[in-house]
Amino acid sequence: MRPLLTLAAAALAVLARITPAATPTAPPAQGEQAGRSGPLPSLAEAYRGQFLVGASVSPGQVIVGDTYRFIRRQFDVITPENDLKPLLLARTEGSYDFRMADQVVDWARKNGVKVRGHCLVWHQQAAPWMFTKDGKPVSRELLIERMRKYIHDVVGHYQGKIWAWDVVNEAFAPGDPKVDTERGWRRSEWYQIIGPEYVELAFRFAHEADPDALLFYNDYDTENPAKRDLIVALVRDLQKKGVPIHGIGHQAHLYLSRPAPAQLEDTIKAVARLGLRNHVTELDVSLRERDGAPLDGDEDELLSRQASRYADFFRMFRRNRERIEAVVLWGITDEMSWHPLEEPLLFSEMEPKPAFWAVVDEAARPLQ
Ligand code: XIL
């Protein structure tokens, strides 16, 4: 974790350069194209009437005036990138530290920005104490009780303040040789101790704690047909049992060459046919191979391929705007991204990249 103040100060310093009031006639910044002068357009405004646009944020970004003005102008939705995960909220049993997450949620409420809560039940960044008692693996009953209490406490704390929760994250990993699975289910501690019913229990507990919150199942690679089938089967099962589920979150961590927009579109349509909402929850486009290896090509060429990929996906999202409610980017600026070497976002050092302009331009293009 970077120290908050350094992070905030860095963001502040670079933001000063793109705040419209500060630089109305500034020369085009690096990465901008000719003719891009004047105030920076707002992504949220560009897509108003189509779908909401958002980004994940850290508390450091909303406590500094210039950064938060930037976020408020650019985005309709924010997701605290880490601060609502059990590892950060509940270091020991029965005690919570809501201070960081509260800063983001309170800021969002004051500024009329919606919050996606991420995430309640995941195999990573979980609270390790939940899975053991007296040094031994916990019983099924006790883990269910701990999950119930955690979800009631956290969702209850934010009742009426969090728009949508990612209740369960990444339960499936079909065909992934690196992941221990059973019939496509990731054999996480949740799965091994409780069994697949952990998903329906989590959704029921979340609904009890905030009946008005939208409840999502969230995953990566949702365009993978095997994962699509598992998600569809899960939703049908939950619906049959009367378990509240309102949407599917597509992380959409994309690469330059894969997947094709049409593959993700198929899943988005399948979700809509089930009567559920689609949120794109963690969008970014890596400039590297999936294993992190650098790609051939000079930086300008890669940046322009990235811009086309963003445009292609936003075109697909626009075609499906009746089916998609929100598109959330996983961060704002490359340097603070979860994978800085992949340069996956729309800004670098808070300067708009070619991908930013491609997304803005796409918003108003005719759809044939
Ligand atoms: C990532 C954060 O971006 C990192 O800062 C953190 O170290 C690990 O988690 N899928 C998810 C997100 O659902 O919660 C992950 O976020 C990225 C992958």
Side-chain angles (χ1 to χ4, degrees), residues 258-312:
R258 56 167 295 279
Q263 292 173 284
L264 183 55
E265 185 171 21
D266 284 347
T267 305
I268 286 169
K269 288 181 171 168
V271 168
R273 281 196 295 274
L274 294 165
L276 264 59
R277 302 164 195 244
N278 286 285
H279 286 184
V280 176
T281 52
E282 304 182 16
L283 178 64
D284 57 9
V285 179
S286 172
L287 282 192
R288 293 196 164 215
E289 304 275 11
R290 194 159 180 155
D291 65 4
L295 287 166
D296 292 337
D298 66 32
E299 180 76 1
D300 282 350
E301 182 201 328
L302 291 176
L303 289 173
S304 105
R305 286 175 61 196
Q306 181 182 50
S308 314
R309 286 289 278 170
Y310 267 107
D312 290 350

Side-chain angles (χ1 to χ4, degrees), residues 39-92:
L40 192 73
S42 152
L43 293 165
E45 259 168 41
Y47 282 89
R48 197 135 294 149
Q50 303 193 64
F51 41 75
L52 305 173
V53 181
S56 70
V57 301
S58 63
Q61 291 171 313
V62 297
I63 56 174
V64 176
D66 277 7
T67 325
Y68 85 60
R69 275 191 285 282
F70 170 82
I71 295 173
R72 189 176 53 194
R73 198 172 123 62
Q74 287 293 330
F75 304 111
D76 297 316
V77 187
I78 56 175
T79 307
E81 185 167 337
N82 286 301
D83 299 283
L84 285 170
K85 294 171 179 171
L87 179 66
L88 282 94
L89 275 188
R91 293 210 178 263
T92 52

Side-chain angles (χ1 to χ4, degrees), residues 72-118:
R72 189 176 53 194
R73 198 172 123 62
Q74 287 293 330
F75 304 111
D76 297 316
V77 187
I78 56 175
T79 307
E81 185 167 337
N82 286 301
D83 299 283
L84 285 170
K85 294 171 179 171
L87 179 66
L88 282 94
L89 275 188
R91 293 210 178 263
T92 52
E93 181 162 17
S95 81
Y96 297 93
D97 185 350
F98 289 114
R99 284 173 300 179
M100 294 305 229
D102 281 356
Q103 265 181 12
V104 181
V105 175
D106 292 345
W107 176 87
R109 272 166 66 75
K110 272 195 223 106
N111 288 283
V113 173
K114 293 183 191 310
V115 181
R116 297 197 82 266
H118 175 83

Side-chain angles (χ1 to χ4, degrees), residues 81-82 85 118-119 122 124-125 169-170 218 251 253 282 330 338:
E81 185 167 337
N82 286 301
K85 294 171 179 171
H118 175 83
C119 50
W122 189 24
Q124 282 180 37
Q125 293 178 292
N169 196 26
E170 304 181 355
N218 191 53
Q251 292 185 9
H253 295 296
E282 304 182 16
W330 204 239
W338 69 311

Side-chain angles (χ1 to χ4, degrees), residues 220-237:
Y220 60 88
D221 286 354
T222 55
E223 70 284 350
N224 169 343
K227 198 175 267 194
R228 181 191 307 143
D229 290 349
L230 285 160
I231 292 173
V232 167
L234 172 74
V235 170
R236 288 216 174 99
D237 183 53

Side-chain angles (χ1 to χ4, degrees), residues 237-263:
D237 183 53
L238 296 179
Q239 289 177 328
K240 201 173 69 204
K241 293 174 174 157
V243 179
I245 176 166
H246 308 110
I248 298 298
H250 309 269
Q251 292 185 9
H253 295 296
L254 310 172
Y255 295 83
L256 286 185
S257 52
R258 56 167 295 279
Q263 292 173 284

